Amino acid sequence: MKKYLLLLILVLPFSGFAQNTINNYKYVLVPEKFNFLKQNDQYRLNTLTKLLLEEKGFTVYFDNAELPAEIANNKCTALTTDILEKNGMFTTNLSLLLKDCQGNIVFKSKEGKSREKEFKTSYNLALRDAFTSLTETEYAYNGSTNAPAQQKAVVATTVAPAVKQAAESIPVAKEALAVATTQAAGTLYAQPTANGFQLIDTTPKKVLTLLKTSVQDYFIAENGISNGIVLKKNGDWFFEYYSNGQLNSEKLLIKF
């Protein structure tokens, strides 16, 4: 019975929510420095990015500026901007990325190109070329910032009571369920999201996404490969999921 309970949890839909698009967001944050550059706002690329996003209709802030309470209290209400550079022998190649608070790419532009030799001119032209993809994309804020995350929260809070009731009704098994247990690899740091947490390591890299339920210390979880649960047992955290018919339990060190 425990196996079936876990299977019930594992098949909870992590996909199938309303599509997350730029129309779900009013705000965009622009960093003061892009990773491929050495200085803040080098070649005025960050300022240009902000201006081009504002021309599209977004409300844009630099991420180091004083932010409105709506964003400061919940970063998931805003998209974050990233610019990727692809090395080219005779061309400057830039792509625009808009990501949600969990690092998922909501929009990716085409690869903007420029063959100008002067760096400032070349970077500016390549960025403007990349932005043509966004210009050609319809944008109208629909008033439901981060709508997919809200729908996930509804699923988590409505299913969890049923799961808890089912768990309480299951008699104690006479035989122990075979579990493949692995020890914690390192400390994971919990970052709040609209409906739970994302766990990141020291890289930093996102390792797990946790969705809150109505049961304390009990989360619906996924790591990009497996869906399962994260729960607290005897003071320790575990990520449990099925793989090839085998129940796996990974011990986690989580710092909230």
Side-chain angles (χ1 to χ4, degrees), residues 130-152:
F131 259 89
T132 59
S133 292
L134 186 62
T135 303
E136 295 166 358
T137 302
E138 292 185 5
Y139 169 69
Y141 176 51
N142 58 25
S144 56
T145 298
N146 210 20
Q150 293 173 353
Q151 292 181 9
K152 288 181 182 179

Side-chain angles (χ1 to χ4, degrees), residues 134-191:
L134 186 62
T135 303
E136 295 166 358
T137 302
E138 292 185 5
Y139 169 69
Y141 176 51
N142 58 25
S144 56
T145 298
N146 210 20
Q150 293 173 353
Q151 292 181 9
K152 288 181 182 179
V154 170
V155 172
T157 55
T158 55
V159 174
V163 172
K164 182 179 180 182
Q165 182 177 3
E168 292 174 346
S169 65
I170 296 174
V172 178
K174 293 183 180 180
E175 294 183 12
L177 184 63
V179 181
T181 303
T182 56
Q183 294 300 311
T187 301
L188 301 177
Y189 297 88
Q191 294 182 338

Side-chain angles (χ1 to χ4, degrees), residues 116-128:
E116 292 291 330
K117 294 181 180 180
E118 199 272 324
F119 283 126
K120 183 176 181 179
T121 302
S122 186
Y123 277 120
N124 275 259
L125 290 176
L127 184 62
R128 288 181 180 276

Side-chain angles (χ1 to χ4, degrees), residues 107-253:
F107 175 86
K108 182 177 182 180
S109 76
K110 72 174 187 178
E111 196 172 88
K113 299 178 182 294
S114 173
R115 291 183 176 273
E116 292 291 330
K117 294 181 180 180
E118 199 272 324
F119 283 126
K120 183 176 181 179
T121 302
S122 186
Y123 277 120
N124 275 259
L125 290 176
L127 184 62
R128 288 181 180 276
D129 187 26
F131 259 89
T132 59
S133 292
L134 186 62
T135 303
E136 295 166 358
T137 302
E138 292 185 5
Y139 169 69
Y141 176 51
N142 58 25
S144 56
T145 298
N146 210 20
Q150 293 173 353
Q151 292 181 9
K152 288 181 182 179
V154 170
V155 172
T157 55
T158 55
V159 174
V163 172
K164 182 179 180 182
Q165 182 177 3
E168 292 174 346
S169 65
I170 296 174
V172 178
K174 293 183 180 180
E175 294 183 12
L177 184 63
V179 181
T181 303
T182 56
Q183 294 300 311
T187 301
L188 301 177
Y189 297 88
Q191 294 182 338
T193 62
N195 48 16
F197 300 90
Q198 62 177 8
L199 303 183
I200 64 171
D201 58 20
T202 55
T203 308
K205 174 186 175 183
K206 183 173 72 173
V207 177
L208 277 168
T209 298
L210 307 185
L211 301 180
K212 292 179 181 178
T213 71
S214 61
V215 182
Q216 185 176 1
D217 296 334
Y218 197 103
F219 299 90
I220 300 169
E222 62 94 14
N223 62 2
I225 300 175
S226 302
N227 298 334
I229 57 173
V230 166
L231 72 163
K232 200 171 190 178
K233 298 188 296 183
N234 300 322
D236 293 320
W237 289 99
F238 293 87
F239 174 41
E240 296 192 349
Y241 60 95
Y242 273 89
S243 177
N244 298 322
Q246 170 70 57
L247 175 60
N248 299 276
S249 181
E250 297 180 4
K251 187 175 181 180
L252 304 175
L253 297 176

Side-chain angles (χ1 to χ4, degrees), residues 1-11 166 170 177 242:
M1 290 295 291
K2 288 184 178 180
K3 179 176 180 179
Y4 293 123
L5 173 62
L6 285 172
L7 286 174
L8 169 66
I9 297 168
L10 301 188
V11 297
I170 296 174
L177 184 63
Y242 273 89

Side-chain angles (χ1 to χ4, degrees), residues 8-76:
L8 169 66
I9 297 168
L10 301 188
V11 297
L12 287 172
F14 281 86
S15 58
F17 305 103
Q19 184 181 6
N20 195 10
T21 72
I22 58 174
N23 294 326
N24 294 333
Y25 297 89
K26 176 181 179 181
Y27 303 108
V28 180
L29 299 179
V30 176
E32 59 182 351
K33 183 178 79 70
F34 293 123
N35 292 332
F36 63 92
L37 297 176
K38 297 180 180 180
Q39 300 175 12
N40 292 352
D41 203 16
Q42 192 170 4
Y43 307 123
R44 301 287 289 171
L45 279 191
N46 302 73
T47 297
L48 178 60
T49 299
K50 183 175 183 293
L51 291 174
L52 293 175
L53 287 167
E54 288 173 338
E55 288 180 3
K56 184 63 179 176
F58 291 105
T59 301
V60 189
Y61 297 93
F62 286 118
D63 61 4
N64 62 338
E66 184 175 348
L67 300 175
E70 183 178 357
I71 306 176
N73 296 333
N74 183 6
K75 289 295 180 67
C76 289

